[in-house]
Amino acid sequence: MATQLAWFRNDLRLADHAALIAAAARGPVAALFVLDDETPGAWRVGAAQRWWLHHSLARLGRSIAEGGGRLILRRGRAGPIVRAVAAELGADVHALLHHEPWAAVQVAEAGAVIPHLGVTLAPPESVLSGTGGRYRIFTPWWKKLLEQMPPPRPRPVPDLRWADVGSIASDDLSQWGLLPTAPDWSGGFSQWQPGEAGAAARLADFARRAARYETARNLPSVEGTSRLSPHLALGEVSPNTAWHVIADAVGETVAEPYLRELGWRDFAANIIDQFPDHGDAPNREAFNRFPFIDDPVGLTAWQHGQTGYPIVDAGMRQLWTTGWMHNRVRMITASFLVKHQLIDWRHGERWFWDCLVDADYGSNAQGWQWVMGSGVDSSPFNRIFAPVGQSAKFDAAAYIRRWVPELAQLPDDAIHAPWEAGVALIRAGVKLGRDYPQPIVNHEAARARALAAWAQVKNA
């Protein structure tokens, strides 16, 4: 039987992997991963996700080695490398279909690739309106997707016979430089367990908490979200698996708020499938004229959690320390950058891309364009999050104390807006401008400025 080459990309698992299952059914299997920073248009994997990728590949490699195989590692332009390895092995190539614009280029350059489904709950092109058109708005798209749900139940690891690839050259993972060198900024990443086993453990943990998801997910001070996003981003668990484990644990009705979030991930794939430049260009033409401010000092203050708004600063410091940020706080911090500071959303998008362990081209672009109001399905620009109001509404006091320890002694009713704390600030021993920054903008003035900028664009 001819050797079959399983080309791994952001699908670093053995279970419920359609390409691997199909390959195993046809012959001995060789496994290949290519770190591609060279295909034109490809977004280079960000620093935080490179840390995750290193550990995920190490764990995948060990799992394959335990079965008698070897994960072939190569670095360079993926298409030609896949083609060359397949020719050397005399192998057919199997791969899951990904939807980033550069993924199609890689497949085209690789030659004859046998495609398989498994990255999304359903292929984006299969969710069509009654007239056969593609959806651009989430709610009707979600209703249509539900007609195909639930997805197929996940399949176990196939019975694998690994091919002898001893003669095939492979890179040493440790030589790829995916891990940070001095200074090592990854100390706070120790909470994560990259890899398929880590994904399974995280999913099992969330299944025990999923019944509380709808009420807890917006509260940054509690463990209310799934924290599965990094594992989904690197494909260490399939969306089908996540769907069925959670639905089985609490029932589809109770699970619906989380299943809807899995749907949002699919919807982002649907959008980039239609608009490949979604990460670089606004979908609404008017935003090409938006009068963004070039403010490197303000951008740095936002990046480093020094805006003077505790909820914003807590989120940005959590991001830097852990490679992850609570979803509600992602919206607050993004809104602050683009509407309070009038800084181009693409600066924020790129910062998130570099700092998030769960960086995903479609979801990241969709999130930023949603906040900006520039996406095909987005929040109106004049929906401007009030950071103090959001912080109080979602009970973020403990979250702020965790990530902005300068303010830890302030009481709950004062910690959201320390510049208004008065005597409480004195009692806490905090001096603004010395121990913690003064607000870099005034909320009401910034809101008025943002609305004036939008009026200028609309009326142009």
Side-chain angles (χ1 to χ4, degrees), residues 311-367:
I311 186 64
V312 175
D313 294 340
M316 298 309 294
R317 296 182 193 187
Q318 181 187 32
L319 172 64
W320 179 259
T321 303
T322 71
W324 185 87
M325 191 196 303
H326 186 275
N327 186 60
R328 167 61 56 172
V329 186
R330 293 190 197 202
M331 293 189 285
I332 297 169
T333 58
S335 179
F336 189 89
L337 181 75
V338 301
K339 296 176 181 178
H340 283 74
Q341 296 182 266
L342 290 191
I343 292 175
D344 194 324
W345 60 273
R346 284 159 287 213
H347 290 307
E349 179 194 31
R350 289 287 185 170
W351 184 254
F352 273 27
W353 178 264
D354 201 40
C355 294
L356 284 169
V357 291
D358 64 6
D360 174 271
Y361 177 75
S363 296
N364 195 35
Q366 180 69 4

Side-chain angles (χ1 to χ4, degrees), residues 406 409 423-431 434-435:
E406 307 97 297
Q409 300 306 311
V423 174
L425 200 66
I426 297 172
R427 288 175 177 167
V430 177
K431 183 176 181 180
R434 181 194 67 187
D435 305 309

Side-chain angles (χ1 to χ4, degrees), residues 407-423:
L407 305 178
Q409 300 306 311
L410 284 174
D412 286 4
D413 61 355
I415 200 168
H416 309 291
W419 59 91
E420 297 176 353
V423 174

Side-chain angles (χ1 to χ4, degrees), residues 124-181:
E125 67 278 6
S126 74
V127 185
L128 301 175
S129 69
T131 59
R134 297 287 292 273
Y135 286 100
R136 299 181 181 183
I137 304 299
F138 175 74
T139 299
W141 178 90
W142 170 242
K143 291 179 180 178
K144 195 68 175 181
L145 176 70
L146 285 176
E147 295 179 7
Q148 299 185 42
M149 296 295 107
R153 284 207 166 261
R155 293 177 288 177
V157 179
D159 184 13
L160 288 160
R161 180 158 55 92
W162 294 106
D164 180 2
V165 295
S167 62
I168 305 295
S170 177
D171 293 350
D172 182 341
L173 179 62
S174 66
Q175 299 302 308
W176 277 4
L178 298 177
L179 300 177
T181 54

Side-chain angles (χ1 to χ4, degrees), residues 3-11 19 30-36 38-39 71-96 98 102-115 168-169 176:
T3 297
Q4 308 295 307
L5 179 62
W7 174 18
F8 288 88
R9 293 187 281 175
N10 283 0
D11 41 55
L32 170 68
F33 178 86
V34 182
L35 177 62
D36 186 352
E38 297 181 15
T39 294
L71 177 60
I72 302 166
L73 299 175
R74 294 284 184 87
R75 186 172 191 168
R77 190 158 171 165
I81 290 174
V82 172
R83 183 192 291 268
V85 172
E88 193 170 353
L89 289 168
D92 297 325
V93 181
H94 298 261
L96 295 188
H98 290 261
W102 55 88
V105 176
Q106 292 170 333
V107 169
E109 292 183 347
V113 175
I114 302 170
I168 305 295
W176 277 4

